[in-house]
Amino acid sequence: ALAEMGYSGFELHIGREPETEKAFPTYEEEIAAYSAFRQQLDDAGLEDIRLATNVGGSPGLDPSSPDKHIEAAGLAFLKSRVDITAALGGDIMMGPVVYPYGAFVEGVWSDALQDDLSEHYANAAPVIEELGQHAETQGVKVAIEPITHWETPGPNKLSQVIEFLRMVPSRAIGVVIDSAHETLDGDGPEAFARQVQWLAGEGRLHYAQASPPDRGDLARSWLPWQPVFGPLLAHYDGPVAIEIFNALPQFAPALRLSRRKYWIPGVDTENAWPSAYDVARSSLLKLREEFASLGATMPQE
């Protein structure tokens, strides 16, 4: 249904949850399952649909950990996700891959937090470099996502990811720019324009997401289109994902979603509130309208 609206690709979360481990206990079984899923899409006439993957770290799979066993487990996990991305026919793996998502430490804030994070980034740099070298062999780019401060301790800002990238030579490692996070935690439009220019010049601008701060309908949001996408689209013509969260139970606690669920036709009971398809349609139209007003060549959506 979304492909018929004009969407040309989708992001898949490819975490390693307990349910996944039970269904596919080995790496080989998991790769085979994702390859079969790609084949199902092709067989259904969706062979032109592109897939990107979304990956987050966890405390037990942490490439920034000072514990070498956890660090090694984190690298092995991320390499396996790169392999899955390739098996899906994708060339972008994005997400908070440097530091475990949502791993707040009680009582560690402000200067103490930044000092602690600096140590973790230094630990992670050679690990992510090795990940980048592996990703290059698979034709995959890894896009690090800065996530807003109320979701995860860090990195929260694009400037922090840039400083991390200076420690990682592989150009397979870059960034994803999410308009929601940049609006909430960025350094402002002037700094953002300079950051985008630097990233593009370094070949590190790998992916982008159009998402409003409330993670809802793009057509009804405070997203500053020109300050974010003006500089971005001047240097970037790759895929732009529309990222909207549907108030599903899995996302509600971490993202503090308090609005009603966008009901899904054929799955949920119909009601008077907007459906997920309504929001998907209006958001795509809004993105096209705003990009056209910027005089931008439409990127792949």
Side-chain angles (χ1 to χ4, degrees), residues 94 143-146 158 162 174-183 192 195-197 199-200 204-211 228-229 231-232 236 239-241 243:
M94 53 76 58
I144 301 170
E145 183 176 15
L158 189 56
I162 287 173
V175 303
V176 50
I177 292 178
D178 181 325
S179 59
H181 298 312
E182 185 60 29
T183 302
F192 177 69
Q195 291 163 350
V196 167
Q197 186 173 20
L199 290 163
R204 308 269 202 168
L205 193 54
H206 290 346
Y207 193 52
Q209 294 170 320
S211 185
V228 174
F229 287 100
L232 180 59
Y236 176 76
V240 176
E243 187 177 47

Side-chain angles (χ1 to χ4, degrees), residues 57-296:
S58 64
L61 301 169
D62 177 9
S64 75
S65 174
D67 183 315
K68 292 302 177 183
H69 295 289
I70 295 176
E71 176 192 280
L75 176 59
F77 169 72
L78 292 174
K79 282 184 174 180
S80 72
R81 303 306 100 177
V82 165
D83 297 344
I84 288 171
T85 303
L88 288 166
D91 57 10
I92 295 291
M93 182 180 96
M94 53 76 58
V97 299
V98 175
Y99 187 86
Y101 177 82
F104 292 99
V105 179
E106 185 67 29
V108 179
W109 302 105
S110 194
D111 290 0
L113 174 60
Q114 295 309 313
D115 292 343
D116 184 66
L117 286 170
S118 293
E119 295 178 12
H120 278 265
Y121 297 153
N123 291 338
V127 182
I128 299 300
E129 170 63 19
E130 185 174 341
L131 175 67
Q133 293 175 9
H134 177 72
E136 288 176 28
T137 69
Q138 294 282 49
V140 172
K141 293 179 179 180
V142 178
I144 301 170
E145 183 176 15
I147 302 286
T148 194
H149 63 278
W150 47 260
E151 285 187 53
T152 200
N156 308 129
K157 301 170 76 67
L158 189 56
S159 59
Q160 293 168 336
V161 176
I162 287 173
E163 289 306 308
F164 177 76
L165 290 176
R166 295 183 191 279
M167 298 188 287
V168 181
S170 173
R171 285 338 190 235
I173 307 296
V175 303
V176 50
I177 292 178
D178 181 325
S179 59
H181 298 312
E182 185 60 29
T183 302
L184 290 166
D185 275 317
D187 293 312
E190 293 181 5
F192 177 69
R194 293 192 298 270
Q195 291 163 350
V196 167
Q197 186 173 20
W198 183 87
L199 290 163
E202 293 291 311
R204 308 269 202 168
L205 193 54
H206 290 346
Y207 193 52
Q209 294 170 320
S211 185
D214 76 338
R215 315 307 239 151
D217 192 344
L218 280 177
R220 298 172 181 83
S221 74
W222 278 99
L223 178 59
W225 289 93
Q226 199 290 323
V228 174
F229 287 100
L232 180 59
L233 296 179
H235 297 281
Y236 176 76
D237 62 358
V240 176
I242 291 176
E243 187 177 47
I244 292 170
F245 292 96
N246 195 29
L248 293 174
Q250 301 95 310
F251 296 118
L255 300 178
R256 314 296 196 268
L257 296 177
S258 58
R259 57 173 160 75
R260 291 182 180 274
K261 182 181 185 295
Y262 300 136
W263 62 276
I264 302 173
V267 176
D268 299 317
T269 301
E270 182 175 352
N271 58 58
W273 303 97
S275 77
Y277 291 178
D278 294 334
V279 173
R281 187 177 294 104
S282 61
S283 294
L284 181 57
L285 291 174
K286 178 65 172 177
L287 180 138
R288 288 175 168 170
E289 175 187 307
E290 293 291 343
F291 280 12
S293 73
L294 294 170

Side-chain angles (χ1 to χ4, degrees), residues 1-8 10 276-277 280-281 284:
L2 294 171
E4 289 175 358
M5 290 180 198
Y7 284 89
S8 60
F10 302 95
Y277 291 178
R281 187 177 294 104
L284 181 57

